[in-house]
Amino acid sequence: SWLKPALFSASAGKRSLRQVQAMAAAVRQRSSSRLASFSVAASAVALLAWSGASCLGFSVGAVPRTRVAPRQAPSVFGLPGSASPAGSSEASSAASIFAAGALAAAVTVACGARRAQLVGRAAAEIQDSSLEFLQRKHAGDVDEIKRLAKDLPAEFDDLKLLRYALQHEGNPGAAVENIKEVLAWRSGEGAKIVAAAKGAIAKATAGGGWDNAPVFAAAPHADRISKHITPEQMVVVSTKAGDIVTCIRASTIDSENLMKSVSEEEMSEFFIYAREINTSIADRRTRATGRVVRLIAANDLTGVSKFPDQKFQNALTGSAKKAVTLYPGYAGPTVLLNLPWLARMLVSVLTPLFPGAVREKLKFARGPMAYMKSLQDILKEPTRSTFVDDLQAVLNE
């Protein structure tokens, strides 16, 4: 249809054949550009949807694991329990989700110049995570929060209020409303979880190190959940800077049988309890080190071939949304590890197209971490140091 008017004009002697050919080339170029843009956008949406769904709720945290430790704050955390078989092969069905992105990869060269123009921007300023710097930066918001929210409990000191200022930057009113929600939950619906976590941490640290037994024993419904979530599925490590990283290998979680033993509400309570434990440890570490500690989620996608059980997803989604309200200002980025090979190839193409806020919250490991045969491997040296270094490199991108 786009060629007919040009041919008609040429046959009428108004345009030469060369002019017609030039017009046709221009239209084809515009069509190719639109197709390329659509393909890249569609691929980006598919990648975000799949990766986001695979990590929903996993960032809510995990319980510290038992270990022999000197008289100091623990640096390695994880879930205790017996081993479970883990998937080792990359899932073809997972890779097929990214098949639509093949076209985007094919047109990368043609679209390179245009893409560079779209995503060109000044380098972002590196965020100083020191407690002193952030307290100075947000002092005005913290003071306004204290003015608006009177008679706060003693635990809501300047450090705690800083978390609310970070979550609701420039909006002390919203921070105060959030505090009211949190106080109502901690004194009502969540009172049992708060008390259980506080008592468990006191017992865990009574000997000067960390004894995980009382922590896990106090977790809601742990007698049933511990049969399905073990260090084969979830462990916690620390970065060299002190951030707490919850690592999950989703393919090893038998979510269907797990959800036959607990309800969605019970599963959600377990994750919220874990969040209560981890935020308490983060606050202790922040006070001890002078650096604001974040909670980071690292999803190992080795062997992923399907989405978790729907009830499990509901529990994860519900607890994750709840955690944003109940524990504001703690969440760091989510990191995706060991993606299928096609996804890794597309990440280098698609990541620059994501909005800056998405790139800050969602990180991709560009290469495989083949040394992670079992998730528990990252708890032992020298694998632990290698993993921590590789993870930090991803976080720095």
Side-chain angles (χ1 to χ4, degrees):
S1 60
W2 56 262
L3 191 57
K4 286 180 181 178
L7 291 177
F8 177 79
S9 299
S11 63
K14 295 181 179 180
R15 292 182 176 86
S16 66
L17 180 59
R18 182 171 296 179
Q19 287 177 312
V20 173
Q21 291 172 334
M23 291 175 61
V27 173
R28 284 197 300 270
Q29 185 176 6
R30 288 196 298 270
S31 300
S32 298
S33 178
R34 292 191 185 98
L35 178 60
S37 300
F38 174 79
S39 301
V40 171
S43 302
V45 170
L47 178 59
L48 276 176
W50 183 79
S51 61
S54 70
C55 66
L56 271 178
F58 282 138
S59 60
V60 296
V63 185
R65 78 177 175 93
T66 306
R67 77 188 191 105
V68 178
R71 299 180 64 83
Q72 59 182 19
S75 60
V76 179
F77 303 92
L79 280 163
S82 58
S84 300
S88 59
S89 60
E90 291 186 340
S92 58
S93 58
S96 67
I97 297 177
F98 300 96
L103 182 57
V107 300
T108 299
V109 175
C111 298
R114 175 61 176 164
R115 180 164 55 87
Q117 294 174 0
L118 292 173
V119 302
R121 61 187 179 90
E125 179 182 355
I126 297 176
Q127 175 65 54
D128 190 333
S129 58
S130 73
L131 179 58
E132 180 183 2
F133 172 84
L134 291 174
Q135 284 184 323
R136 186 169 61 250
K137 179 180 179 180
H138 297 280
D141 284 349
V142 171
D143 289 343
E144 183 65 9
I145 291 171
K146 288 191 288 187
R147 188 186 71 80
L148 295 174
K150 303 182 185 302
D151 302 322
L152 290 173
E155 65 184 86
F156 278 73
D157 58 6
D158 284 1
L159 173 58
K160 180 67 73 174
L161 296 181
L162 175 61
R163 297 285 187 178
Y164 289 85
L166 292 171
Q167 183 72 25
H168 305 282
E169 187 170 3
N171 194 346
V176 172
E177 291 302 313
N178 195 170
I179 290 172
K180 292 178 181 178
E181 290 180 274
V182 172
L183 290 176
W185 180 83
R186 295 180 75 84
S187 62
E189 177 190 346
K192 289 183 178 180
I193 290 177
V194 172
K198 184 177 180 179
I201 291 175
K203 292 179 180 178
T205 56
W210 183 269
D211 178 10
N212 194 69
V215 175
F216 199 72
H221 325 294
D223 57 328
R224 287 166 283 162
I225 294 174
S226 62
K227 298 175 182 177
H228 301 278
I229 297 183
T230 77
E232 282 290 332
Q233 288 80 34
M234 183 185 297
V235 298
V236 183
V237 299
S238 298
T239 66
K240 291 181 178 179
D243 289 330
I244 300 173
V245 185
T246 303
C247 307
I248 300 100
R249 180 166 283 183
S251 63
T252 64
I253 299 178
D254 186 358
S255 57
E256 184 175 351
N257 282 324
L258 169 59
M259 297 311 295
K260 288 179 181 178
S261 63
V262 294
S263 66
E264 291 180 20
E265 183 179 357
E266 290 172 336
M267 192 72 241
S268 179
E269 288 174 352
F270 176 86
F271 281 115
I272 292 297
Y273 170 86
R275 191 69 161 192
E276 178 73 20
I277 293 288
N278 279 357
T279 53
S280 297
I281 298 300
D283 283 343
R284 289 185 177 213
R285 189 173 290 181
T286 297
R287 297 180 196 280
T289 64
R291 180 185 177 277
V292 176
V293 172
R294 303 176 300 170
L295 304 183
I296 298 172
N299 264 332
D300 177 10
L301 302 184
T302 300
V304 169
S305 60
K306 61 180 181 180
F307 289 113
D309 177 83
Q310 185 60 51
K311 292 181 179 179
F312 188 61
Q313 290 189 62
N314 293 343
L316 289 172
T317 304
S319 61
K321 290 180 179 178
K322 203 169 186 178
V324 172
T325 299
L326 299 179
Y327 306 99
Y330 289 88
T334 293
V335 184
L336 301 184
L337 311 174
N338 293 318
L339 280 76
W341 69 269
L342 180 57
R344 292 197 300 268
M345 179 185 71
L346 293 176
V347 160
S348 61
V349 177
L350 301 179
T351 301
L353 300 176
F354 297 160
V358 174
R359 291 198 300 272
E360 287 300 315
K361 288 296 183 182
L362 190 61
K363 304 283 187 177
F364 302 91
R366 305 290 180 96
M369 297 179 177
Y371 52 82
M372 293 172 57
K373 302 301 181 184
S374 166
L375 197 58
Q376 294 186 82
D377 291 344
I378 64 175
L379 298 179
K380 299 172 289 187
E381 295 293 354
T383 305
R384 182 183 182 279
S385 294
T386 301
F387 174 76
V388 170
D389 288 342
D390 288 348
L391 182 66
Q392 190 62 56
V394 176
L395 292 171
N396 290 343
E397 289 184 354

